[in-house]
């Protein structure tokens, strides 16, 4: 039985319909799948992998991304950036690519929690994990399309799902097409404008970890490379990586 309708994916990718595509019923992790094959010399960019089920889905900071069969979109796209400066903006591009795809084919308007989580109605519905391997970048994207039977497990935290009818093939194709198109315009200011417009963090109080120490800060903006501009202890800093927290009461604003 065919799990994915390949024709629908390729149609949604528009001009990128000839992209090498690997469709899997199950895999440990789509990112790990690509990473292993890049290192063995079996694959090179560009290439798209989709799986119906991830047995060991991965998020940032070593976390698990719950990936049950039939309820989500689990995909990784292998890309080749032209410079180190481009690598820094690829997570930004991925977040915008997913938002644009969802905005095009659904009535939803997702918001971005820096650096790589997408929220709808105060719940995390999408996670993005970018990894560098052999001068290429793997962009892993997991979207919770439907709430799993029995709900999300406790370790999924504030996870939620879109819970609306949509074609995951069309969504996958749209996201991949947006990413490939965006690779041509990573230096374009419109990308950062689109990212900022979907990030309702400006003016908010946050906490973040730095050298193992928790700090309080106020967000004042987003730098052109995607770094988060904050004021902490009266001084301006730009966060390039790490984890921020809004406090559980604040996630309701990410709608």
């Amino acid at each position: 039985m065919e799990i994915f309708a390949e024709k629908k994916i390729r149609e949604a990718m528009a001009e990128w319909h000839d992209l090498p595509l690997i469709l899997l019923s199950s895999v440990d992790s789509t990112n790990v799948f690509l990473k292993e094959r890049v290192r063995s010399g079996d694959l090179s960019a560009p290439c798209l992998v989709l799986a119906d089920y991830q047995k060991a889905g991965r998020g940032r900071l070593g976390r698990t991304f719950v990936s049950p069969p039939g309820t989500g979109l689990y995909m990784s796209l292998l890309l080749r950036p032209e410079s180190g400066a481009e690598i820094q903006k690829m997570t930004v591009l991925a977040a915008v690519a997913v938002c644009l795809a969802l905005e095009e084919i659904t009535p939803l308007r997702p918001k971005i929690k820096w650096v790589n989580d997408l929220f709808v109605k105060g719940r995390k519905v999408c996670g993005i994990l970018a990894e560098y391997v052999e001068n290429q970048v793997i962009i892993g994207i997991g979207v919770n399309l439907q709430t799993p039977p029995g709900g999300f497990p406790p370790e999924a935290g504030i996870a939620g799902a879109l819970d609306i009818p949509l074609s995951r093939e069309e969504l996958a194709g749209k996201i991949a097409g947006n990413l490939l198109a965006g690779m041509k315009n990573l230096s374009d200011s419109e990308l950062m404008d689109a990212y900022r417009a979907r990030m309702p963090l400006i003016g908010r109080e946050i906490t973040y970890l730095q050298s193992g120490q928790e700090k309080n800060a106020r967000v004042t903006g987003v730098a052109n490379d995607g770094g988060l501009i904050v004021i902490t202890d009266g001084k301006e800093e730009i966060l390039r990586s790490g984890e921020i927290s809004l406090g559980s009461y604040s996630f309701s604003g990410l709608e």
Side-chain angles (χ1 to χ4, degrees):
M1 179 179 177
E2 186 179 50
I3 296 175
F4 295 99
E6 181 176 343
K7 183 178 179 181
K8 288 184 179 180
I9 298 170
R10 295 194 179 280
E11 287 175 348
M13 287 192 285
E15 64 181 285
W16 312 101
H17 59 85
D18 290 331
L19 178 74
L21 178 60
I22 299 172
L23 304 177
L24 304 170
S25 58
S26 68
V27 70
D28 287 343
S29 155
T30 54
N31 268 31
V32 170
F33 177 91
L34 277 177
K35 191 182 300 184
E36 290 175 345
R37 279 148 186 81
V38 168
R39 287 175 172 163
S40 66
D42 294 333
L43 286 176
S44 60
C47 180
L48 175 63
V49 174
L50 274 75
D52 179 57
Y53 167 45
Q54 292 186 122
K55 292 176 281 187
R58 299 164 57 242
R60 291 179 67 243
L61 306 176
R63 295 184 180 131
T64 298
F65 189 91
V66 178
S67 313
T71 64
L73 170 62
Y74 317 120
M75 60 182 281
S76 292
L77 183 60
L78 180 63
L79 300 168
R80 188 183 298 277
E82 294 184 0
S83 68
E86 288 191 352
I87 293 173
Q88 296 180 10
K89 297 184 75 172
M90 290 178 70
T91 299
V92 169
L93 171 61
V96 172
V98 178
C99 285
L100 291 175
L102 287 171
E103 290 166 8
E104 181 179 353
I105 65 177
T106 78
L108 302 174
R109 296 297 178 264
K111 299 299 181 184
I112 300 168
K113 173 182 173 281
W114 187 87
V115 59
N116 65 341
D117 293 335
L118 269 59
F119 278 70
V120 171
K121 298 181 180 179
R123 291 287 177 175
K124 177 182 172 180
V125 299
C126 173
I128 297 166
L129 177 64
E131 298 186 280
Y132 185 74
V133 55
E134 305 288 346
N135 298 315
Q136 298 171 82
V137 174
I138 299 170
I139 302 291
I141 298 170
V143 185
N144 299 326
L145 303 181
Q146 302 293 330
T147 301
F152 289 97
E155 62 266 26
I158 53 172
L162 303 182
D163 285 329
I164 62 172
L166 81 164
S167 163
R168 66 176 173 178
E169 287 91 349
E170 183 180 16
L171 180 60
K174 294 287 185 184
I175 292 172
N178 289 344
L179 274 163
L180 290 163
M183 286 294 292
K184 296 181 177 181
N185 303 294
L186 279 173
S187 61
D188 197 320
S189 62
E190 289 185 8
L191 171 61
M192 290 312 306
D193 289 344
Y195 187 70
R196 293 183 181 107
R198 292 163 176 81
M199 184 187 292
L201 294 179
I202 309 303
R204 282 179 174 262
E205 300 295 325
I206 66 167
T207 60
Y208 67 95
L209 288 176
Q210 187 175 74
S211 301
Q213 182 180 1
E214 188 175 272
K215 292 191 173 185
N216 298 316
R218 180 170 55 85
V219 179
T220 60
V222 180
N224 288 331
D225 64 357
L228 195 66
I229 305 171
V230 301
I231 299 293
T232 181
D233 298 328
K235 298 179 181 179
E236 182 177 281
E237 289 192 34
I238 300 180
L239 307 183
R240 305 292 183 191
S241 62
E243 186 79 357
I244 68 169
S245 174
L246 300 167
S248 60
Y249 67 90
S250 296
F251 283 105
S252 61
L254 294 176
E255 298 180 358

